[in-house]
């Protein structure tokens, strides 16, 4: 009596399905192809043939995005990351390259530098709506990839390369750029020179008063992570890149504070650190988060324990996870 064939054996090689699905997409049946990508890949996952499921999902995400189907492509990209997790696939260069290929397939559509300097308001509204969909789709995919990478062998904060990709896409594609988000991801990346280029780009088109805040925020963020080296590289690179542009480095008290702060961090000079905070108090308070960042920096570099304003009750809440 012959033994029943297993699910694993019933499934054809993934390439057969990839070719079939690519044909469905080429015919313009994006929705039909989407349902097939999801159902067919699920069979391979169920059979624990993760490598082939990943091949199908990767192909689907890239081809849908290449055809401008952002919602479909982003959904398959998320399933690709989810399958990496299910298969307990470790973070390696090969998988990073595949994630990068999906990232590069997300459309990039330039928006007017000043959104309201256009005549066709209906078209502008449609463009902004499309941009938000692209940014949301790419961000969801990369944030999921970051969580997977942190759990499967990359840096505890997630892959630095993935952080750079997310920062770049938010900056280049968002209708209204949130430099807080851009900075958050760039400082967890591994390319301060690229961050400097982005900041110089931002300086050339931001509103007055945003320029020095953006630079200060970037430097302070690096320092809160204990990364003095990249904070210095960032500042030097900004100065270098500005020389070949029409952009000028802001000449403000806040910028002066940042220059002095970096010099202070090179030595064990906590009294000088405190003095700087006092002397530049008014410009530091232009952004509420700066004082908290400086408290973090004092703890990181000088071992100063932060005081809990809630005292004993604050400690209890911390232990309960209510922070």
């Amino acid at each position: 009596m012959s033994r029943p064939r297993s699910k694993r054996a019933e499934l054809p090689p993934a390439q057969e399905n990839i070719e079939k699905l690519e044909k469905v997409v080429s015919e313009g049946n994006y929705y039909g192809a989407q349902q097939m990508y999801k159902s067919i890949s699920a069979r391979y996952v169920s059979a624990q043939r993760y490598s082939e499921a990943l091949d199908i999902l990767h192909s689907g995400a890239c081809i849908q995005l290449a055809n401008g189907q952002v919602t479909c492509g982003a959904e398959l990209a998320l399933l690709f990351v989810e399958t990496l997790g299910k298969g307990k696939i470790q973070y390696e260069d090969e998988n990073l390259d595949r994630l990068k290929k999906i990232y590069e397939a997300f459309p990039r559509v330039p928006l007017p530098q000043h959104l309201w300097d256009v005549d066709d308001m209906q078209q502008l509204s449609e463009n902004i709506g499309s941009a938000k969909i692209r940014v949301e789709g790419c961000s969801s995919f990369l944030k999921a990839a970051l969580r997977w990478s942190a759990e499967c062998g990359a840096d505890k904060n997630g892959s630095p390369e993935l952080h750079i990709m997310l920062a770049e896409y938010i900056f280049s594609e968002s209708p209204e750029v949130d430099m807080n988000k851009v900075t958050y991801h760039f400082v967890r990346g591994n390319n301060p020179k690229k961050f400097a280029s982005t900041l110089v780009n931002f300086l050339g088109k931001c509103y007055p008063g945003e320029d020095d805040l953006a630079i200060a925020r970037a430097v302070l963020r690096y320092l809160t992570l204990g990364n003095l080296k990249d904070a210095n590289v960032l500042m030097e690179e900004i100065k270098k890149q500005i020389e070949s542009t029409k952009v000028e480095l802001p000449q403000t008290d806040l910028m002066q504070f940042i220059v002095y702060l970096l010099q202070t961090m090179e030595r064990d000079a906590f009294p000088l650190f405190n003095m700087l905070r006092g002397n530049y108090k008014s410009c530091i308070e232009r952004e509420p988060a700066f004082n908290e960042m400086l408290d973090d920096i004092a703890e990181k570099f000088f071992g100063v324990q932060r005081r809990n304003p809630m005292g004993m009750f604050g400690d209890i809440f911390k232990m309960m996870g209510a922070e």
Side-chain angles (χ1 to χ4, degrees), residues 223-236:
L223 294 177
T224 59
L225 297 176
N227 191 349
L228 177 58
K229 178 185 174 184
D230 282 354
N232 280 315
V233 170
L234 179 80
M235 281 300 295
E236 290 305 312

Side-chain angles (χ1 to χ4, degrees), residues 37 42 44 49 130 148 178 212 220 274 288 293 295 304 316:
Y37 275 117
Y44 285 84
R49 289 168 64 171
S130 297
W148 161 75
D178 184 340
D212 59 345
L220 292 174
N274 269 342
M293 289 185 199
D295 287 342
V304 178
I316 292 171

Side-chain angles (χ1 to χ4, degrees), residues 62-287:
C62 290
I63 197 170
Q64 290 279 35
L65 290 168
N67 281 277
Q69 304 300 305
V70 175
T71 302
C72 289
E75 183 182 18
L76 294 177
L78 276 171
L79 284 173
F80 178 83
V81 176
E82 185 181 307
T83 303
L84 286 171
K86 284 182 178 177
K88 295 182 169 38
I89 310 297
Q90 288 300 295
Y91 175 80
E92 295 172 345
D93 287 346
E94 179 185 352
N95 296 316
L96 177 61
D97 287 344
R98 301 186 85 183
L99 292 167
K100 186 177 181 182
K101 188 172 181 182
I102 294 175
Y103 161 72
E104 289 173 344
F106 273 89
R108 285 159 174 75
V109 182
L111 286 169
Q113 182 170 323
H114 300 291
L115 289 178
W116 307 113
D117 293 348
V118 292
D119 297 325
D120 190 340
M121 297 305 292
Q122 182 177 347
Q123 185 62 51
L124 174 65
S125 178
E126 290 175 6
N127 290 347
I128 290 174
S130 297
K132 287 180 177 177
I133 290 171
R134 291 196 303 275
V135 172
E136 184 178 339
C138 189
S139 296
S140 296
F141 154 61
L142 287 174
K143 285 176 182 177
L146 279 165
R147 289 192 293 272
W148 161 75
S149 69
E151 293 166 2
C152 295
D155 185 271
K156 65 177 182 179
N157 290 319
S159 161
E161 291 85 359
L162 292 173
H163 277 294
I164 296 288
M165 292 178 206
L166 182 50
E168 284 185 312
Y169 201 82
I170 292 171
F171 182 77
S172 66
E173 298 303 310
S174 296
E176 294 181 18
V177 178
D178 184 340
M179 285 305 292
N180 267 311
K181 289 182 181 177
V182 172
T183 298
Y184 176 89
H185 291 291
F186 260 123
V187 299
R188 285 161 177 76
N190 55 0
N191 197 332
K193 291 186 178 182
K194 185 171 283 190
F195 188 14
S197 298
T198 301
L199 282 170
V200 171
N201 186 341
F202 178 73
L203 297 183
K205 60 186 180 184
C206 67
Y207 293 108
E210 291 183 334
D211 45 9
D212 59 345
L213 285 174
I215 295 173
R217 187 186 302 117
V219 169
L220 292 174
R221 286 280 186 198
Y222 271 126
L223 294 177
T224 59
L225 297 176
N227 191 349
L228 177 58
K229 178 185 174 184
D230 282 354
N232 280 315
V233 170
L234 179 80
M235 281 300 295
E236 290 305 312
E237 193 64 24
I238 288 172
K239 292 173 188 174
K240 188 187 301 181
Q241 292 189 26
I242 277 178
E243 290 175 3
S244 59
T245 69
K246 294 180 180 179
V247 176
E248 293 184 0
L249 194 66
Q251 302 296 318
T252 64
D253 287 345
L254 183 59
M255 283 303 300
Q256 194 173 59
F257 167 72
I258 290 298
V259 170
Y260 290 152
L261 177 65
L262 286 172
Q263 293 171 359
T264 302
M265 305 315 294
E266 295 287 353
R267 46 192 174 148
D268 188 10
F270 183 59
L272 181 55
F273 174 85
N274 269 342
M275 187 180 76
L276 280 173
R277 289 187 69 170
N279 290 346
Y280 290 89
K281 185 174 184 290
S282 59
C283 66
I284 291 169
E285 289 178 347
R286 283 175 54 199
E287 182 157 323

Side-chain angles (χ1 to χ4, degrees), residues 288-306:
F290 283 175
N291 266 314
E292 187 172 350
M293 289 185 199
L294 288 165
D295 287 342
D296 287 340
I297 292 165
E299 183 172 14
K300 183 76 70 174
F301 285 87
F302 304 114
V304 178
Q305 292 299 309
R306 299 184 61 172

Side-chain angles (χ1 to χ4, degrees), residues 34-63:
Q34 183 75 357
Q35 302 313 305
M36 293 170 71
Y37 275 117
K38 289 162 65 177
S39 61
I40 291 172
S41 64
R43 291 177 207 157
Y44 285 84
V45 170
S46 180
Q48 297 185 3
R49 289 168 64 171
Y50 297 109
S51 176
E52 289 168 287
L54 289 168
D55 289 344
I56 293 167
L57 290 167
H58 189 269
S59 172
C62 290
I63 197 170

